[in-house]
Amino acid sequence: MSHIRILPDTLANQIAAGEVIERPAAALKEIVENAIDAHATRIDVTLRTGGKSYIAVTDNGIGMTRDDLALAVTRHATSKLPTDDLVHINTLGFRGEALPSIGAVSRLSITSRTANADTAWILRVEGGTVHPATPAAHPMGTQVEVSDLFYKTPARLKFLKSDPAEYAACKDVIMRLALAHPHIAFTLTHNDQRIFILPSTHALAERVRAVMGTEFHDQTVALHAEHDGLRITGRVGLPTYNKGQSNHQYLFINNRPVRDRVILGALRGAYGDLMPQGRHAVVILFITLPAEDVDVNVHPGKAEVRFRDAARVRGMMIAAIRARLATVNATATPARDAMIARFASTHTPYLSHGSAAVAYDYAASAPAAHPALFDSAPAMRPAAYASPDAMLATESTQSFPLGAARAHIHNTYIVAENTDGMVLVDAHAAHERLIYERFKTAMAAHDTLPAQRLLTPDLVTLDDVRVQALLSQTEFLSRYGLEIDAFGVDCMQVRAVPLDLSGRLNLSALLADLADEILEKDSANTLPDRLLKKLSTRACHAAVRAGRPLNADEMNAILRGIEKTPTAAQCNHGRPTFIKISRADLEKLFERR
Ligand SMILES: Nc1ncnc2c1ncn2[C@@H]1O[C@H](COP(=O)(O)OP(=O)(O)OP(=O)(O)O)[C@@H](O)[C@H]1O
Ligand SMILES: [Mg+2]
């Protein structure tokens, strides 16, 4: 007797599903791609609980006959490879794998009707068991419904994220496919709420605007480059318009949404040091090249591709983006590089915190506003110095480790003098850190932050993904002094805010930040700490970053605060908050020694 056996279809399909359908968004992507391949001009998507309990996609495409329906849920059955040519694939699907995989791990029903059939047919698959098709009523086109994804595989269910996070992934799928197919009208409904209606259009730019919004449009510039069959077109974000996550990069190869490593790497290369550490550029790029030059058949979810000449694609992308950004911000890169090279080569050894500290200053400030610390005298305008009272600081203040504040320059840095030399402090970073430590102490002592009830609730408009993320955590957020309620699909009502944040707080920016943290990773226990950091950043914006110079008392209060807080030498992002330069170092800098 043989030990080797051919796996039954149901099992084979379940195994295949593990690769293709790892979450609701993946199933949704496959179903919508099928609708696009069926030449639909209108696609309606309905979701419940982030797609976990229900996904429905209705299209007005070519539909399927009764016989086709049965084949559609059979493995390796596809209408999309009429010849054996794997190179010139014009459809999104070609493996004949998606529907059988979805059917193996859910309750799937497909209702479909072709142009010249006199009735529609409905076919049901339950956990891999295919029931015979029966007549149904339906207009031309197809409706695919998926209920209770993974109900047969509880192990996979456990790996799903919260409803808001799964919903966010589903919406992202629809946005990407809608960007690639502007001529198709899309609607999206979630938990009975209409999320968007995208009318059909022939203008890509119009669709981009409808999907991405005005802010994206204002913060990005159009890009177009073309050479020898390779074309790159789209919009690239200004370096100052960056995000904490890389999922704001919308990339398409031959009109297929991808998350390809070569392209992502090229993007990082293109933005290089224009982008602060850990931040990501926002872009939409459509890369088009001959089918022979790219293999899309290398990744189960078709997210990655293989280029015949990856170096060429990479090179052209970097060159095109750099050139485009240079026209927006002509001096940014050279000035910064020259400055750092000069400082690093001659002076780094004398700095107590090394060159990383210097690099940070540049990364954090807007490229156009680089303070030319050693480059040219005019940047040191006398007007930038603080009011005379800063000069009145006594000898005794000077003997503190961080000394007496002398000036606040560029509304950012405190220049202080101590007995041993001078100190430069990044006032924002330091202040943020101090507030964070104060929040942490309060949480440790009382497990809650004091809240300030607003006289009249504030209404804040946010996109629906974020609204749902926040609503999923209302109890948790209330411990942080933040009381919020639902108010429509893309709006919320704020009734209380943390005490330290009242005043000039930018509520919508705060809520957007907190929502992003919640979406980032819901199960993780790092959420409390990340929320505290966001709160302190925003508290700092509300206080110090009011855009006015600090007075001597405020500056000295920050200096004394840092001295008293053991962990305050680094900001919440791990960068130094201050740099000390000793008198001896100063003398070496000026070659007095
Ligand atoms: N919405 C639809 N309208 C018309 N035909 C469809 C639709 N959805 C699926 N089909 C038919 O069912 C077949 C099987 O679909 P399925 O998604 O499983 O495989 P595929 O699209 O061919 O390849 P892939 O596994 O790469 O997606 C398709 O080839 C197509 O003929
Ligand atoms: Mg398919």
Side-chain angles (χ1 to χ4, degrees):
M1 216 186 101
S2 172
H3 294 291
I4 302 180
R5 67 164 183 150
I6 308 263
L7 294 179
D9 273 355
T10 319
L11 203 55
N13 283 333
Q14 273 182 16
I15 293 168
E19 271 183 47
V20 188
I21 314 294
E22 81 275 20
R23 62 194 296 194
L28 178 65
K29 173 169 180 282
E30 295 293 342
I31 299 167
V32 175
E33 286 185 347
N34 281 345
I36 295 170
D37 283 345
H39 309 294
T41 56
R42 175 179 175 138
I43 298 176
D44 297 300
V45 178
T46 305
L47 306 169
R48 271 187 227 127
T49 60
K52 289 178 185 171
S53 60
Y54 186 72
I55 298 173
V57 177
T58 310
D59 69 56
N60 63 353
I62 58 172
M64 280 174 274
T65 61
R66 181 188 185 177
D67 294 344
D68 277 351
L69 269 178
L71 280 173
V73 295
T74 308
R75 253 187 122 201
H76 305 310
T78 179
S79 59
K80 300 173 189 176
L81 291 178
T83 66
D84 292 344
D85 180 359
L86 264 183
V87 173
H88 297 95
I89 293 173
N90 293 319
T91 50
L92 294 166
F94 50 85
R95 296 182 178 174
E97 214 164 49
L99 290 180
S101 301
I102 295 171
V105 294
S106 72
R107 295 181 229 276
L108 168 69
S109 83
I110 313 176
T111 316
S112 195
R113 179 173 174 169
T114 56
N116 40 28
D118 43 18
T119 180
W121 291 87
I122 179 165
L123 181 92
R124 292 200 176 83
V125 186
E126 258 179 320
T129 310
V130 183
H131 302 288
T134 52
H138 194 75
M140 180 182 160
T142 304
Q143 177 173 51
V144 176
E145 291 173 286
V146 179
S147 304
D148 308 323
L149 195 62
F150 301 136
Y151 79 101
K152 273 210 150 175
T153 41
R156 296 204 72 83
L157 253 187
K158 261 192 272 164
F159 280 101
L160 293 185
K161 295 189 180 171
S162 66
D163 292 359
E166 292 301 338
Y167 168 62
C170 286
K171 187 180 179 193
D172 188 66
V173 160
I174 302 296
M175 284 170 65
R176 283 173 204 267
L177 287 169
L179 285 168
H181 303 277
H183 63 284
I184 302 178
F186 281 90
T187 67
L188 174 62
T189 306
H190 183 224
N191 291 343
D192 298 321
Q193 285 180 320
R194 179 52 63 86
I195 308 301
F196 58 61
I197 303 176
L198 299 171
S200 158
T201 170
H202 289 290
L204 175 61
E206 198 178 300
R207 175 58 61 91
V208 168
R209 229 185 149 124
V211 172
M212 304 300 294
T214 327
E215 180 186 281
F216 172 87
H217 192 85
D218 294 345
Q219 298 288 333
T220 54
V221 291
L223 174 96
H224 187 87
E226 196 160 0
H227 181 69
D228 205 12
L230 174 59
R231 191 176 77 214
I232 302 174
T233 179
R235 296 189 73 84
V236 292
L238 303 175
T240 42
Y241 179 55
N242 51 60
K243 305 270 177 172
Q245 287 135 5
S246 69
N247 56 2
H248 299 270
Q249 300 176 336
Y250 297 83
L251 307 171
F252 303 84
I253 294 171
N254 289 352
N255 231 22
R256 245 170 231 283
V258 295
R259 292 201 52 77
D260 182 75
R261 258 175 283 168
V262 171
I263 305 289
L264 291 173
L267 263 184
R268 269 193 303 279
Y271 277 85
D273 40 32
L274 293 176
M275 193 57 56
Q277 271 253 307
R279 306 290 298 179
H280 301 272
V282 180
V283 304
I284 289 190
L285 289 177
F286 294 88
I287 298 167
T288 319
L289 69 177
E292 298 73 50
D293 292 348
V294 57
D295 183 357
V296 294
N297 197 8
V298 293
H299 183 271
K302 300 161 186 140
E304 293 208 1
V305 299
R306 189 178 294 132
F307 293 107
R308 198 161 71 179
D309 189 351
R312 176 166 173 244
V313 176
R314 194 186 140 77
M316 182 158 149
M317 243 182 89
I318 295 183
I321 295 177
R322 289 226 161 151
R324 186 63 182 96
L325 292 178
T327 63
V328 189
N329 203 332
T331 54
T333 319
R336 175 190 177 282
D337 288 353
M339 164 66 199
I340 294 220
R342 190 168 153 191
F343 198 80
S345 63
T346 51
H347 303 306
T348 305
Y350 309 124
L351 276 179
S352 44
H353 279 83
S355 60
V358 177
Y360 156 62
D361 290 346
Y362 285 86
S365 58
H370 289 338
L373 199 51
F374 292 94
D375 263 347
S376 58
M380 297 284 238
R381 296 177 306 260
Y385 286 82
S387 52
D389 55 345
M391 301 303 194
L392 298 177
T394 56
E395 287 297 317
S396 63
T397 327
Q398 229 167 293
S399 63
F400 280 109
L402 297 185
R406 293 296 185 215
H408 185 220
I409 59 174
H410 296 291
N411 276 350
T412 304
Y413 308 101
I414 298 170
V415 182
E417 178 183 358
N418 63 8
T419 350
D420 179 46
M422 69 177 284
V423 183
L424 286 170
V425 179
D426 181 330
H428 299 324
H431 190 237
E432 248 173 69
R433 183 72 195 193
L434 295 178
I435 294 176
Y436 167 70
E437 294 293 343
R438 195 163 74 215
F439 281 165
K440 242 177 39 182
T441 314
M443 281 306 279
H446 312 293
D447 203 34
T448 164
L449 294 183
Q452 156 108 54
R453 193 156 278 281
L454 301 177
L455 282 179
T456 51
D458 235 341
L459 288 185
V460 176
T461 310
L462 278 180
D463 61 285
D464 64 294
V465 168
R466 290 196 172 107
V467 166
Q468 298 197 22
L470 290 166
L471 290 178
S472 72
Q473 299 283 352
T474 43
E475 248 170 68
F476 186 68
L477 289 172
S478 74
R479 278 178 49 206
Y480 290 84
L482 203 65
E483 279 177 39
I484 51 171
D485 278 326
F487 199 87
V489 184
D490 53 6
C491 188
M492 45 200 339
Q493 185 164 277
V494 181
R495 285 185 282 109
V497 297
L499 195 55
D500 283 282
L501 275 79
S502 48
R504 271 168 304 219
L505 179 64
N506 180 343
L507 255 182
S508 77
L510 172 72
L511 291 181
D513 275 0
L514 297 181
D516 286 345
E517 291 301 335
I518 292 170
L519 287 170
E520 175 88 329
K521 203 158 186 237
D522 3 74
S523 56
N525 30 19
T526 60
L527 183 61
D529 189 53
R530 287 183 288 121
L531 287 187
L532 276 190
K533 282 183 176 155
K534 284 292 175 207
L535 285 176
S536 23
T537 307
R538 287 299 159 186
C540 181
H541 278 268
V544 175
R545 296 191 184 183
R548 61 172 174 80
L550 297 172
N551 66 36
D553 287 343
E554 291 168 321
M555 290 192 287
N556 282 316
I558 290 180
L559 297 180
R560 303 294 81 81
I562 303 175
E563 287 159 357
K564 270 190 267 158
T565 311
T567 53
Q570 290 199 335
C571 77
N572 292 348
H573 314 284
R575 301 181 292 246
T577 52
F578 63 85
I579 299 168
K580 282 183 178 175
I581 305 174
S582 69
R583 244 160 123 160
D585 286 345
L586 283 171
E587 283 163 5
K588 281 183 205 159
L589 277 171
F590 291 102
E591 295 168 18
R592 283 171 165 252
R593 290 190 168 204

